[in-house]
Amino acid sequence: GYLPKPVPRGAIRDVLCTVLGVEPSETPKAIITRHSAREELFKNKQILLLDTNPNTETESLKLLSQLGTQVTPTHEVEAAINAMSQESFDLVLFGLDGFGGKSVDAMLTLMKTNGSIPIVGLTQNDQAPETLSCLKAGMSDTIRLPVNKEALVRVIGKWCSE
């Protein structure tokens, strides 16, 4: 088939509805963009953010909210363990640099609480001995600081896919 030019308003919609076998709707639906599609994909994802650095935490919270995730921020391992015992999380974002050489112990403590939740380290140097030790001990992945949206999309998509 074909449509003569100029195409009357709504004609393309009517033809597509006929071809697809659906009824045309008079009420326009929301426009789907790559941003709204990503928000829809991530909207039910529960993220636990354990970070002692207020600057990193603020930036991470901003980016995670833009992605549509549900975030529970904590500053201490004990608070994170408490949150993990009360809620179900899809991912833990763990600020490695704020634990002064004790990040492996902190991560292992989190893993004992619930070893099935992926833990992604936030770090200035993903080749630092502390970071590599965490990866060897079972940490799932790392994101280099400063946090950026593309890195968050990558790890959330990788570790929270259903």
Side-chain angles (χ1 to χ4, degrees):
Y2 64 92
L3 291 172
K5 290 184 181 175
V7 178
R9 184 180 193 149
I12 293 176
R13 181 194 67 209
D14 294 340
V15 168
L16 289 174
C17 287
T18 301
V19 169
L20 296 173
V22 296
E23 290 292 321
S25 171
E26 293 303 318
T27 57
K29 294 186 178 177
I31 296 173
I32 298 174
T33 65
R34 65 185 170 112
H35 303 292
S36 65
R38 187 168 48 203
E39 283 180 18
E40 187 65 28
L41 183 65
F42 294 156
K43 79 175 179 180
N44 293 321
K45 300 302 178 198
Q46 298 288 327
I47 310 269
L48 177 63
L49 175 63
L50 171 56
D51 202 336
T52 59
N53 183 327
N55 296 328
T56 305
E57 180 191 46
T58 301
E59 188 61 25
S60 298
L61 285 171
K62 181 179 123 186
L63 293 172
L64 288 164
S65 69
Q66 289 173 0
L67 293 173
T69 62
Q70 305 299 312
V71 184
T72 302
T74 63
H75 303 274
E76 299 172 353
V77 174
E78 294 78 22
I81 291 169
N82 188 36
M84 291 169 77
S85 67
Q86 295 177 8
E87 293 182 54
S88 176
F89 292 97
D90 298 299
L91 180 73
V92 175
L93 292 176
F94 176 43
L96 297 174
D97 300 332
F99 286 90
K102 299 194 186 284
S103 56
V104 175
D105 295 335
M107 192 215 43
L108 289 171
T109 303
L110 292 174
M111 289 178 71
K112 285 179 192 172
T113 304
N114 189 336
S116 65
I117 300 174
I119 299 175
V120 175
L122 306 174
T123 181
Q124 295 287 341
N125 182 357
D126 57 2
Q127 296 301 310
E130 188 79 7
T131 304
L132 295 174
S133 296
C134 284
L135 285 166
K136 285 180 186 173
M139 186 172 66
S140 305
D141 209 340
T142 60
I143 296 177
R144 282 187 62 110
L145 295 173
V147 176
N148 64 66
K149 193 180 282 188
E150 291 77 25
L152 287 172
V153 167
R154 179 184 62 80
V155 297
I156 294 170
K158 179 178 179 180
W159 296 106
C160 297
S161 59
E162 296 176 22

